[in-house]
């Protein structure tokens, strides 16, 4: 934990004073003192919780080595600081994709060895709207529908 009990005591006293004066403006002396004491306890506990939380964040948990595979404190400090990740080797495929992207953007034709494989994607090709009716016939149909 960060600090000592004096921080808690100081926060409690400040809480007592603040709560007492706020309560004294609308209550009698004994009620204000009771509420001030409750404020003291609440601020004391809040300061304790704040010190504990800051201690956990800033200092981290203090774990003693009890034979769990950690030989020294330096090994404890380095735990979790390195990550070893091994990915599958797809470097050649990535290089081919990058080369084909550069060639396509520069307008060069791709060599036959780098032709695109079919992906199963076909762009949407909707049917064309074709007028099968005579415009005069369509006008007659609209006139007929508006008469009803």
């Amino acid at each position: 934990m960060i600090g000592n009990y004096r921080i808690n005591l100081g926060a409690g006293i400040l809480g007592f004073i603040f709560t007492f004066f706020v309560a004294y403006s609308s209550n009698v002396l004994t009620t204000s003192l009771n509420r001030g004491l409750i404020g003291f306890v609440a601020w004391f506990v809040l300061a304790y919780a704040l010190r504990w939380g800051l201690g956990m964040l800033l200092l981290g948990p203090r774990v003693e080595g009890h034979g769990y595979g950690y030989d020294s404190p330096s090994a404890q400090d380095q735990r979790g600081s390195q990550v070893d990740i091994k990915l599958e080797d797809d470097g050649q495929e990535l290089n081919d994709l990058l080369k084909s992207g550069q060639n396509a953007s520069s307008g060069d034709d791709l060599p036959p060895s780098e032709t695109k494989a079919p992906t199963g994607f076909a762009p949407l090709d909707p049917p064309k709207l074709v007028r099968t009716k005579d415009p005069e016939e369509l006008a007659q149909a609209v006139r007929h529908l508006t008469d009803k």
Side-chain angles (χ1 to χ4, degrees):
M1 255 191 281
I2 296 175
N4 55 21
Y5 72 93
R6 291 180 187 163
I7 294 173
N8 296 15
L9 193 61
I13 291 171
L14 285 176
F16 173 80
I17 292 170
F18 178 74
T19 308
F20 175 76
F21 284 119
V22 169
Y24 190 66
S25 65
S26 61
N27 294 311
V28 294
L29 181 63
T30 56
T31 304
S32 299
L33 286 174
N34 285 336
R35 291 184 179 172
L37 289 175
I38 293 171
F40 174 83
V41 170
W43 283 65
F44 186 89
V45 170
L46 284 174
Y48 182 80
L50 182 65
R51 280 193 323 127
W52 179 78
L54 285 175
M56 291 298 287
L57 286 175
L58 298 178
L59 302 177
R62 295 181 183 170
V63 178
E64 302 294 329
H66 294 292
Y68 292 113
Y70 302 109
D71 298 333
S72 65
S74 64
Q76 182 73 18
D77 293 340
Q78 292 181 2
R79 187 179 68 188
S81 63
Q82 296 178 352
V83 177
D84 296 328
I85 298 175
K86 174 138 176 61
L87 300 175
E88 60 185 63
D89 188 24
D90 56 353
Q92 185 60 32
E93 293 176 17
L94 184 60
N95 287 336
D96 292 342
L97 286 172
L98 289 173
K99 287 178 185 175
S100 68
Q102 288 175 352
N103 290 339
S105 66
S106 65
D108 298 340
D109 291 331
L110 294 175
S113 64
E114 294 183 4
T115 58
K116 291 185 179 179
T119 59
F121 172 76
L124 184 62
D125 189 19
K128 303 282 184 194
L129 295 176
V130 180
R131 291 188 189 168
T132 57
K133 303 276 185 184
D134 183 36
E136 187 61 38
E137 189 177 341
L138 290 173
Q140 289 295 332
V142 170
R143 287 185 196 116
H144 176 69
L145 290 173
T146 56
D147 287 341
K148 285 189 171 184

